[in-house]
């Protein structure tokens, strides 16, 4: 991996072009505006290589009724430009977001509708599948994935 990368908080609108290129190529960019993008508590991370935005991920404050955790975030729009895939940038985005969420909340929970083609990536980061696969119209097959992001404090409580 290049040593000149940085990860920063970015606005929702700064993610749209990259989301469009990677996740909805050839489709109107308006398909890349996600519900909750600008909601309070939602945040967006960008990874830059020499000031070029090469990957994005969004963390929307949104609860899934299938889960009963109080603090839930939904990962959306995880995308790394094709030339930069497989170099660890997606992992960096995910780890940075997990750390931020754990710093700010006790026992948070992260879930998302994962493309089935990306489940191995998420499983490497400790995420589990939930329920059956389903088709997102015009995109591809998805499955819900989740991870309980236990804070150090709660881990400590469990062992005492
Ligand atoms: C999925 C994605 C975000 C992963 O980002 P990345 O920077 O390529 O991933 P990393 O380099 O951090 O990969 C970490 C590990 O996951 C593996 N991995 C990454 N993408 C994978 C995939 N689609 N399928 C299987 N394994 C994958 C890598 O080989 C690597 O394994 P290793 O640690 O054993 O070497 C990126 O490949 C991407 O944008 N894909 C297209 C869009 C997409 O599918 N987004 C997810 C929507 S749910």
């Amino acid at each position: 991996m290049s040593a000149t990368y940085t990860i920063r908080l970015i606005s929702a609108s700064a993610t749209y072009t990259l989301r469009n290129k990677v996740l909805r190529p050839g489709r109107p960019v308006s398909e890349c505006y996600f519900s909750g993008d600008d909601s309070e508590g939602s945040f967006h991370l960008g990874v830059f290589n020499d000031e070029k935005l090469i990957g994005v991920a969004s963390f929307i404050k949104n609860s899934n009724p299938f889960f009963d955790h109080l603090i839930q975030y939904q990962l959306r729009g995880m995308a790394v430009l094709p030339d930069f895939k497989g170099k660890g940038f997606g992992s960096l985005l995910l780890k940075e977001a997990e750390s931020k969420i754990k710093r700010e909340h006790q026992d948070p929970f992260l879930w998302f509708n994962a493309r089935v083609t990306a489940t191995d990536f998420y499983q490497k980061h400790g995420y589990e599948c939930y329920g059956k696969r389903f088709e997102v119209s015009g995109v591809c097959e998805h499955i819900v994935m989740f991870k309980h992001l236990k804070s150090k404090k709660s881990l400590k409580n469990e062992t005492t």
Side-chain angles (χ1 to χ4, degrees), residues 1 7 45 47 54-57 59 75 78-81 84-98 121-122 125:
M1 185 191 303
I7 293 191
L45 291 178
V47 59
I54 57 167
V56 295
F59 299 84
L75 165 61
M78 165 69 100
V80 173
L81 288 178
F84 294 90
K85 274 167 64 172
K87 298 178 193 292
F89 292 114
S91 301
L92 272 178
L93 285 167
L94 202 49
K95 285 182 191 158
E96 183 69 22
E98 288 182 359
F121 166 72
Y122 294 116
H125 291 281

Side-chain angles (χ1 to χ4, degrees), residues 106-147:
Q106 192 166 357
D107 294 333
F109 186 85
L110 185 55
W111 69 275
F112 44 92
N113 299 322
R115 293 180 175 212
V116 295
T117 49
T119 52
D120 286 357
F121 166 72
Y122 294 116
Q123 276 165 343
K124 283 183 176 166
H125 291 281
Y127 288 82
E128 294 174 53
C129 292
Y130 175 87
K132 291 187 180 162
R133 294 172 173 205
F134 57 93
E135 193 69 29
V136 173
S137 173
V139 184
C140 63
E141 225 181 8
H142 284 65
I143 188 161
V144 172
M145 295 190 83
F146 69 93
K147 184 159 118 181

Side-chain angles (χ1 to χ4, degrees), residues 1 9 36 61 70 82 113 144 149 159:
M1 185 191 303
L9 282 170
K61 200 82 181 2
L70 220 53
N113 299 322
V144 172
L149 305 178
T159 55

Side-chain angles (χ1 to χ4, degrees), residues 25-121:
R27 308 262 284 270
V29 76
S30 57
E31 286 190 22
C32 299
Y33 309 160
F34 297 153
S35 150
D37 264 347
D38 292 309
S39 301
E40 197 180 337
S42 297
F43 67 95
H44 310 269
L45 291 178
V47 59
F48 294 79
N49 187 289
D50 293 331
E51 292 307 308
K52 177 186 165 73
L53 184 63
I54 57 167
V56 295
S58 298
F59 299 84
I60 309 297
K61 200 82 181 2
N62 185 28
S63 293
N64 182 325
F66 287 116
F67 303 114
D68 58 7
H69 297 75
L70 220 53
I71 306 292
Q72 295 188 32
Y73 277 85
Q74 179 183 6
L75 165 61
R76 295 206 70 181
M78 165 69 100
V80 173
L81 288 178
D83 284 353
F84 294 90
K85 274 167 64 172
K87 298 178 193 292
F89 292 114
S91 301
L92 272 178
L93 285 167
L94 202 49
K95 285 182 191 158
E96 183 69 22
E98 288 182 359
S99 302
K100 175 175 163 55
I101 294 170
K102 283 197 286 187
R103 274 197 309 274
E104 295 173 4
H105 302 281
Q106 192 166 357
D107 294 333
F109 186 85
L110 185 55
W111 69 275
F112 44 92
N113 299 322
R115 293 180 175 212
V116 295
T117 49
T119 52
D120 286 357
F121 166 72

